[in-house]
Amino acid sequence: MSDAVDPQIKISEEADGLYLTITLPANFTQVPTQQLDTAALGVPRVVEEPFEHPDGTPLTIDRDLTGAALSGKPIPGPIQALQAGPNHIKVMARN
């Protein structure tokens, strides 16, 4: 991706929640990605303990910010519904 891309990011509040508006270039899905888990995240320098569940089992990040399932090669970023071009996606429901 080019550094010259202007995604025109905006967060807006609507009647039913908060929305992300973003425009992505056609090639944004060409960024190499992988599903993250305990092994891929490694061990942080400060605490020197692996990322894992409270019970000590390995962690796998298999859902995005909205709860959608991640594939083995997820879309770059925290929302799997993003597409090239303009996007308007609910990121938080209103209580």
Side-chain angles (χ1 to χ4, degrees):
M1 281 192 345
S2 168
D3 290 335
V5 172
D6 178 7
Q8 302 169 9
I9 298 171
K10 183 170 54 169
I11 300 290
S12 58
E13 188 172 355
E14 298 183 16
D16 62 339
L18 291 177
Y19 283 78
L20 166 69
T21 301
I22 185 170
T23 302
L24 297 170
N27 65 345
F28 94 100
T29 59
Q30 295 174 1
V31 174
T33 64
Q34 69 181 46
Q35 194 165 30
L36 296 176
D37 58 20
T38 296
L41 292 169
V43 176
R45 290 180 298 169
V46 175
V47 296
E48 296 181 354
E49 293 292 330
F51 290 94
E52 57 192 13
H53 290 283
D55 66 1
T57 58
L59 174 70
T60 297
I61 299 174
D62 59 0
R63 299 272 169 196
D64 76 357
L65 182 68
T66 67
L70 300 177
S71 67
K73 185 185 180 296
I75 298 294
I79 301 172
Q80 292 303 286
L82 293 175
Q83 302 174 19
N87 294 268
H88 186 70
I89 297 173
K90 185 193 298 189
V91 293
M92 184 182 295
R94 181 178 290 277
N95 291 336

